[in-house]
Amino acid sequence: MFVPGHPDGMLTRTPQRERSRATQLRLLEATVDCLVEHGWSGTTTTLIAQKAGVSRGAQLHHYPTKAALVLAAVEHLAQRRAEEIRAEALRLPPGRIDQVIDLLASAFTGPLYVAALEVWVAGRTEPELRQALEPLEARVGRDLYRLTVDLLGADDSRPPVREAVQATLDLLRGLGVANLLSDDSARRQTIIAGWTRQLAAVLDPRP
Amino acid sequence: MFVPGHPDGMLTRTPQRERSRATQLRLLEATVDCLVEHGWSGTTTTLIAQKAGVSRGAQLHHYPTKAALVLAAVEHLAQRRAEEIRAEALRLPPGRIDQVIDLLASAFTGPLYVAALEVWVAGRTEPELRQALEPLEARVGRDLYRLTVDLLGADDSRPPVREAVQATLDLLRGLGVANLLSDDSARRQTIIAGWTRQLAAVLDPRP
């Protein structure tokens, strides 16, 4: 679980704001779990509240609609995943492009990507959701690009570097789709290894 | 429309088998249209029959379930799209890798890819559909790989060529996702142009 359970005796001592934040985080975590397990059409606000162990009243207070829940959940979880990746990358030896790409690839085959894909596909045919998703997609995409440039230590003032970093993320996006129905990890590793060699050549500024 | 309308006077002279085939094709075409317009959850067999101008009885006779319709539709349309791409590629001057990739990219941003993505994402949480999709995904993936190798005139006995062709298709898959909610064509063209230069270097057997 994202938010560890509190022993009952502690709850009364937790300040109101902190308790509110904990409730929100439980709801957002439950939203992603629900999307992963039941898909977009099987996800309901009632089910999310139940899974989060939060009353319907509290759920309605924090996030009144399914759209509000999924938008907040995708944004929050994307930020959290990015922080985790950044922290894990700090433990890598420098210059290990392959390990950085592996870390990023794990984000595109994990629960968050699956949940996001459910929301994106639903947004395609639901105009209000789509309108709210467009700026979120731009924001998440920009942050992920920036994270990747940082982790690779890449100089993206050179256009080929910029394009190669973006292509890497688009490739990972596609590999995530190829992994939706069955475990594609063996093939994925080969593809990523081949691409990483090419990426390394583009990132290397020596002629 | 895929199947042009027959003048009424001709219908009676059409042999039964041909009429059946025409009905099937109208149903498959309508299935993809319906998925594109209404998404997986908004797609019903009733709506498909209506859109195809086919009686419910005839629809039930040819494809008794929604799953039967979408599986047949994705397979048939993928084959048809592959034939169209092959025909268009024949009109290109030889050695134009960039134009071949552009042709393939159009398949990953068009209605068929969108419809397939709706079905794939739904299949993730619907066990029976998923089971039927797995062999279909393998077949369509294999055919698309073979088509790409042929169009590129690539020698895929060399592993780096095999991997680069597969990576290209994974990239296009990812670019299709990035195009779901908004028109990503300007960015896509830049990414594809950069990718194509690298692909050309891998395909070229000279050291």
Side-chain angles (χ1 to χ4, degrees):
Chain A
M1 270 301 290
F2 183 28
V3 178
H6 308 266
D8 273 359
M10 281 183 67
L11 269 174
T12 48
R13 276 180 284 138
T14 316
Q16 173 62 27
R17 197 189 300 171
E18 219 170 281
R19 238 164 42 216
S20 258
R21 188 61 191 145
T23 302
Q24 285 175 351
L25 294 179
R26 279 215 303 279
L27 283 166
L28 301 183
E29 182 82 356
T31 302
V32 167
D33 289 352
C34 211
L35 285 166
V36 170
E37 198 174 334
H38 305 288
W40 170 263
S41 56
T43 294
T44 63
T45 54
T46 316
L47 193 57
I48 293 169
Q50 200 181 329
K51 219 184 241 293
V54 163
S55 73
R56 276 288 276 167
Q59 173 253 305
L60 287 166
H61 168 70
H62 290 295
Y63 304 102
T65 62
K66 178 173 168 181
L69 273 165
V70 301
L71 290 164
V74 169
E75 179 137 36
H76 168 68
L77 275 273
Q79 280 170 2
R80 186 160 70 90
R81 194 75 194 89
E83 284 160 22
E84 287 169 1
I85 289 174
R86 206 179 275 277
E88 288 175 56
L90 282 176
R91 289 199 294 270
L92 298 178
R96 292 302 304 265
I97 294 183
D98 55 341
Q99 292 190 31
V100 168
I101 303 298
D102 282 348
L103 260 181
L104 291 166
S106 72
F108 282 95
T109 48
L112 174 61
Y113 184 67
V114 164
L117 208 51
E118 290 279 351
V119 178
W120 258 236
V121 167
R124 201 184 59 78
T125 47
E126 302 202 5
E128 276 180 48
L129 180 61
R130 180 189 193 132
Q131 214 179 351
L133 277 174
E134 281 182 22
L136 173 61
E137 179 175 48
R139 235 171 13 247
V140 170
R142 226 169 16 236
D143 291 351
L144 187 63
Y145 169 81
R146 183 49 46 203
L147 173 68
T148 309
V149 167
D150 287 356
L151 297 187
L152 292 172
D155 168 16
D156 74 336
S157 64
R158 292 190 297 133
V161 169
R162 231 165 21 237
E163 289 163 19
V165 170
Q166 287 192 47
T168 303
L169 295 172
D170 287 310
L171 174 68
L172 295 180
R173 208 166 269 133
L175 288 168
V177 172
N179 198 60
L180 267 188
L181 298 183
S182 49
D183 178 7
D184 188 42
S185 51
R187 190 188 72 92
R188 183 169 63 246
Q189 275 172 18
T190 315
I191 300 295
I192 288 181
W195 170 247
T196 301
R197 284 191 296 275
Q198 301 214 50
L199 178 63
V202 177
L203 296 184
D204 189 340
R206 286 167 296 188
Chain B
M1 270 299 292
F2 183 32
V3 178
H6 308 265
D8 273 359
M10 280 184 67
L11 268 174
T12 47
R13 276 181 283 139
T14 318
Q16 173 62 26
R17 197 191 298 174
E18 215 169 285
R19 238 164 39 215
S20 259
R21 188 64 191 143
T23 301
Q24 286 175 350
L25 294 179
R26 278 215 304 277
L27 284 166
L28 301 184
E29 182 81 358
T31 303
V32 167
D33 288 351
C34 210
L35 285 167
V36 170
E37 198 174 334
H38 305 288
W40 170 263
S41 56
T43 294
T44 63
T45 53
T46 316
L47 193 57
I48 293 169
Q50 201 181 330
K51 219 184 241 294
V54 164
S55 74
R56 275 288 276 165
Q59 172 253 305
L60 286 165
H61 169 71
H62 290 294
Y63 304 102
T65 63
K66 179 172 166 179
L69 272 165
V70 299
L71 290 164
V74 169
E75 180 138 33
H76 167 69
L77 275 272
Q79 281 170 2
R80 186 159 70 90
R81 194 76 194 89
E83 284 160 21
E84 287 168 359
I85 289 174
R86 207 178 275 279
E88 288 175 57
L90 282 176
R91 288 198 293 269
L92 298 178
R96 291 303 304 265
I97 294 182
D98 55 341
Q99 292 192 30
V100 167
I101 302 299
D102 282 348
L103 260 181
L104 290 166
S106 72
F108 282 94
T109 47
L112 174 62
Y113 184 67
V114 164
L117 208 51
E118 290 279 349
V119 177
W120 257 239
V121 168
R124 200 184 60 77
T125 47
E126 301 202 6
E128 277 181 46
L129 180 61
R130 179 188 192 131
Q131 216 179 348
L133 277 173
E134 281 181 22
L136 173 62
E137 179 176 48
R139 239 179 359 255
V140 170
R142 230 174 6 243
D143 291 351
L144 187 62
Y145 170 80
R146 183 48 44 204
L147 173 69
T148 309
V149 167
D150 286 357
L151 297 188
L152 292 172
D155 168 17
D156 73 337
S157 64
R158 292 189 298 134
V161 169
R162 228 163 26 233
E163 290 162 19
V165 171
Q166 285 192 46
T168 301
L169 295 172
D170 287 309
L171 173 75
L172 296 180
R173 209 166 267 135
L175 288 169
V177 172
N179 199 60
L180 266 188
L181 298 183
S182 48
D183 178 7
D184 188 41
S185 51
R187 191 188 71 93
R188 182 169 62 246
Q189 276 172 17
T190 314
I191 301 295
I192 288 181
W195 182 274
T196 302
R197 282 191 296 274
Q198 301 219 47
L199 179 64
V202 176
L203 296 184
D204 189 341
R206 286 167 295 187

